[in-house]
Each structure stands twice: as C-alpha cells, then as structure tokens.
Amino acid sequence: MSLTVTREFTDPAANELLPTVRRICDDVLIPQAAKAEEAGEFPREVFRTLGAAGLLGLPYSTQYGGGGLPLHDYLQVVEELAAAWATVGLGVSVHTLATFPLATYGTEAQRERHLPTWLGGELLGAYCLSEPAAGSDAAALQTRAVCGDDGYVVDGVKAWISHGGVADFYTAMVRTSDDGAKGITCLILDGQTPGLSARPPEHKLGFTGSPTAQMVFEGVKVPSDQRVGEEGQGFGIALAALDGGRLGMAACAVGIAQAALDLAVGYAKDRQQFGRPIAEFQGLSFLLADMATGVAASRAMYLAAARKRDRGEAFGADAAMAKLFATDTAMQVTTDAVQVLGGAGYVKDYPAERYFREAKALQIVEGTNQIQRVVIGRSLTRGS
C-alpha cells in the first residue's frame, strides 16, 4: 500500500499527478519490488512506464517535454516512489542528476536534440564522476579527454556508477588539462559509443535491483558538440548537479524511512503479546514516536531546502544538511523498525531488513555524510 502522507504542493499540476503516482506505486512497484531485489533484476520496463506517465522529467521545462514542476514538488514524487521501491526512487533521482548538466548548461541546439528523448522515458541516464582513486576527492579524477580535430578521445575508468551498463546515455566529467579542478570538462555520451564498456556489476548489500558498475573508456571518441559548457567548467557543473542530487537522496531516504515506520506501526498494532498489542507498551510506543519525529523533521528539511532552490537562493549547505540528517535518520528508523518486528524483522518475509540495507547506501552516495559535514562546516566558516 502506498503512502498516505498528506502532500502540500506548490503547483496544482502536482496535485493532479499524485493519484497517478500512487496508482503506479500500488499496482506496479510494490508487487514487483521484493522479488526483483531478491533476483537482482533491474526494472528497465518500469522506467519506461514512468516515462510514459511523465515522471522522468518532472523538474525540467515543458518546452522539451518535461513536467515544469518546482523541485519542491518533484522531490515529493521521488519520496513516494522510493517508499514503494527504493531502486526506482533512486533511479529517477540518478536520471535527473544525469540530465541536469545539459538541461542547465547546454546550448539550445543540444537541448532540442537530446532532452525530448531523455525526459520522455525513451532513454535512461547515468552520471559519471567518481573513479577508483577519486571518490570524496572528486577533483582528483584522472579520466583523460584529449582534444583533436574530430573532438575528444577519452581514456580512463569511472567507478560506482548507478545504471552502469544499462544506461542509454552517460554524463561524464573528464580531465582536459592538469589544472586541478579547473581542468575538468563535462561530456555526454551515447551508451553504445565504441570503446565504452561496463565491468560486471558490484555485489552490494542493498539496492540489488539497481546495477552499480565501473565504466571503462578505451579510446572513446566524443564529438565536440557533445561537450556541455566550456572546457574547464565541468567541476562547477558537477557540484551544481550534486546540490540537487543530494536533495534527491534525502527524499529517497525519507521514503524508505516512512515505509519502515508504516510497517513498524502496523506490525505493532497487530502483534499481540501479554494479552495486548505491543504498540500499547510505553517502551515501544516511545520508539515509534521518535521514529515518526525523525521522519517528519527530515521531510521538512529537504522541502525547506528545495523551496530555497525554487526561489533562486543559495541552497548548497541546506541540501547538505538535509542529505546528512535524512539519511542518518533513515538508518536509525530502519534499524528501529527491524527491532520492533523482532525476529520477523530479521527475515525476508517482511521488507524491514531490505529497508535497513537500503538506508545504509544513502549515507554513502552523492557524497558521504562526512563530506556533507565538510560542506556544512565550510559554509559556516567561509560564508558560502
């Protein structure tokens, strides 16, 4: 059953969209989630369904086939999807992240050429920033793009790429000079480009339905018109994309936490011990109260940051705070949900253990929570 959280949207179109979102969650996502995650199957057809429903381009311009929704409203849709099936909520956020550089920094010709298919669900994207030796220190990336008469030739390896090997297009940050962060450039590549390949997917603790793989670039030729922005602008583009991406991770975390809370509350009301529902015992009811408070606070934080972004205000530190708090909260809430269910929480008959495994990943992706603290600390001491 999908969430019954009361939504407050800023665009009336989102209110009209919500019943469709919840119907897809109930009829398509929830029935498939457990089996697909157990089998490690990527739900590619689900993303085509979302695209056909207009859910893969919600925060982008209607001029190119997007939904034109404020980030505030789009993120609540991501939360709904993540609560039903975290792999899908994450996938929508990753696709939005991969689309952001071209949608924001691309030329009009690039947008007209690519965005209609990217936003319409025909194509699914991936975002290539991290490398085996450049994770938290993203500016140390070494994948090299050499410019020639016919464009760029790219060699290197990207790591921890969500949708690696199944994406239709890749937005990649590459090094075009040795000038540190100023030597990074953004390129877009078709997934079938010769020389671009994926290594076998990682064997992960959670999000087993979402493939994560290294992407190998071996003499990959990229035409100059597939560069986004100017040479050397890539690192700034990457950071701008990650600000929004962190809010996507916060929304996914809240979705997982809300689903875990709903499961725990329902179980505690039904489970009888000592002649009454375990929800009536104060020790357990206080635990549920803390879980609910954390979920509500996390939601308020990501929505407040999104409103700042929608108003055109600086929101980077707010996004870092929301990602930090929401993902740490999701880890605690899912841990507590397993405890509420007791032995039933430790087995796969219930989704509590899956929520627990998925929450852990969100403390790591889109910048570890330690990196979020660095971002927040710098904003306090440097005034930016």
Side-chain angles (χ1 to χ4, degrees):
M1 183 175 181
S2 62
L3 301 183
T4 56
V5 175
T6 300
R7 297 292 177 192
E8 295 182 3
F9 295 116
T10 55
D11 189 323
N15 285 313
E16 298 175 4
L17 187 63
L18 185 59
T20 298
V21 174
R22 288 184 165 167
R23 184 170 61 252
I24 290 174
C25 287
D26 286 339
D27 297 346
V28 179
L29 304 189
I30 293 173
Q32 296 186 48
K35 184 177 179 181
E37 290 295 319
E38 180 70 17
E41 296 175 350
F42 179 63
R44 184 64 183 89
E45 285 304 315
V46 167
F47 287 97
R48 292 191 175 92
T49 298
L50 297 181
L55 301 183
L56 287 186
L58 290 179
Y60 296 117
S61 173
T62 56
Q63 178 181 348
Y64 307 105
L69 289 185
L71 194 68
H72 174 276
D73 297 355
Y74 152 75
L75 290 171
Q76 293 184 76
V77 173
V78 171
E79 182 192 332
E80 293 273 342
L81 296 172
W85 189 353
T87 281
V88 174
L90 176 76
V92 171
S93 185
V94 167
H95 179 77
T96 301
L97 176 67
T99 302
F100 175 88
L102 185 136
T104 307
Y105 296 91
T107 65
E108 186 61 28
Q110 288 175 325
R111 293 171 185 166
E112 290 179 352
R113 177 183 174 187
H114 296 290
L115 285 182
T117 52
W118 291 12
L119 303 181
E122 297 174 40
L123 303 179
L124 189 67
Y127 183 76
C128 299
L129 176 61
S130 295
E131 298 182 359
S136 293
D137 184 12
L141 66 85
Q142 292 300 312
T143 296
R144 176 74 60 170
V146 177
C147 186
D149 294 337
D150 298 326
Y152 297 90
V153 178
V154 185
D155 290 279
V157 179
K158 292 293 183 179
W160 309 112
I161 306 306
S162 297
H163 300 168
V166 299
D168 300 294
F169 70 90
Y170 295 84
T171 298
M173 303 302 162
V174 299
R175 181 160 299 285
T176 48
S177 82
D178 293 321
D179 192 15
K182 296 180 180 179
I184 296 172
T185 298
C186 179
L187 302 177
I188 54 173
L189 299 85
D190 184 281
Q192 300 302 313
T193 303
L196 178 65
S197 63
R199 287 180 176 160
E202 307 289 350
H203 298 286
K204 306 195 301 280
L205 176 69
F207 285 101
T208 48
S210 176
T212 302
Q214 291 188 349
M215 295 301 300
V216 180
F217 297 73
E218 295 179 301
V220 176
K221 295 181 180 180
V222 183
S224 297
D225 64 1
Q226 289 179 215
R227 185 189 72 219
V228 177
E230 301 299 324
E231 279 200 5
Q233 194 180 2
F235 194 65
I237 293 173
L239 293 183
L242 287 175
D243 282 341
R246 285 165 180 162
L247 290 182
M249 293 304 98
C252 286
V254 173
I256 292 171
Q258 182 70 58
L261 172 63
D262 290 349
L263 174 65
V265 170
Y267 185 88
K269 290 165 66 176
D270 292 340
R271 173 69 169 169
Q272 297 274 334
Q273 289 290 278
F274 305 102
R276 54 180 170 152
I278 62 174
E280 295 182 5
F281 291 94
Q282 187 180 75
L284 195 142
S285 70
F286 279 13
L287 186 62
L288 295 174
D290 287 343
M291 294 163 68
T293 300
V295 172
S298 298
R299 182 179 293 117
M301 286 188 73
Y302 88 67
L303 290 176
R307 286 192 293 270
K308 291 186 75 170
R309 155 76 184 276
D310 289 334
R311 293 194 298 265
E313 300 173 12
F315 74 106
D318 301 83
M321 290 179 191
K323 195 271 184 183
L324 167 65
F325 188 81
T327 57
D328 280 354
T329 295
M331 192 72 251
Q332 185 61 57
V333 167
T334 56
T335 299
D336 290 342
V338 171
Q339 192 70 20
V340 170
L341 271 68
Y346 200 68
V347 297
K348 294 185 178 181
D349 302 66
Y350 293 86
E353 58 82 31
R354 173 161 58 88
Y355 299 150
F356 172 86
R357 291 184 287 107
E358 290 165 343
K360 182 67 240 180
L362 298 182
Q363 293 180 301
I364 300 170
V365 298
E366 304 283 0
T368 67
N369 282 5
Q370 286 66 39
I371 287 296
Q372 305 313 314
R373 289 177 170 89
V374 171
V375 172
I376 296 162
R378 286 176 178 171
S379 75
L380 295 173
T381 57
R382 299 182 183 181
S384 61

